[in-house]
Amino acid sequence: RQPAKTLWYDRPRYVYLEFCVEDSTDVKVVIEDHRLVFSCKNADGVEFYNEIDLYARVNSKDSREKRSDRSITCFMRKWKEKVAWPRITKENIKPAWLSVDFDNWRDWEGDEEVERAMVEQYAEV
């Protein structure tokens, strides 16, 4: 069992995590108010497991995940919206498997409409 490579980024209402596992099976995502647990297998039968104690509280009932062929994306609704998260983990440590998703990281100004459209797009899948 090993951790999946994980990318994360912060938005005004949601925090996004992307677990980079291609052709995943047996995907399990448990989103709690202060913690996220992820597990799955890839096509070769390798087991992946990540457990993250979150930096701040999320609304677990208004959080979701979406599986694609290349990854599993979780979007977690922040309990306190419009408060920037300097990191995803509670402790100020950076595991080797965790990175900031600079492709999706951007300044928040005027970003709420874009974020709402992204969440609606995910909800349709």
Side-chain angles (χ1 to χ4, degrees), residues 50-86:
N50 298 64
E51 189 172 323
I52 300 171
D53 289 321
L54 298 169
Y55 172 77
R57 186 175 181 187
V58 297
N59 182 342
S60 56
K61 292 178 180 30
D62 192 20
S63 299
R64 295 181 172 46
E65 77 274 347
K66 176 190 136 215
R67 185 193 162 279
S68 71
D69 290 343
R70 301 189 64 170
S71 65
I72 299 89
T73 303
C74 302
F75 45 105
M76 298 174 290
R77 182 81 178 245
K78 292 179 178 180
W79 196 258
K80 291 183 180 171
E81 295 183 2
K82 299 181 184 171
V83 175
W85 287 24

Side-chain angles (χ1 to χ4, degrees), residues 4 8 10 23 31 34 37 39 44 59 66 84 88 105 108 112 115 119 125:
W8 82 280
D10 184 36
D23 301 323
I31 299 171
H34 292 280
V37 178
S39 64
D44 297 328
N59 182 342
K66 176 190 136 215
I88 191 75
W105 196 279
W108 284 3
E112 288 181 41
E115 184 180 38
V119 170
V125 173

Side-chain angles (χ1 to χ4, degrees), residues 86-99:
R87 60 185 184 273
I88 191 75
T89 56
K90 183 177 184 145
E91 277 84 43
N92 192 8
I93 52 166
K94 186 190 161 301
W97 48 265
L98 183 64
S99 303

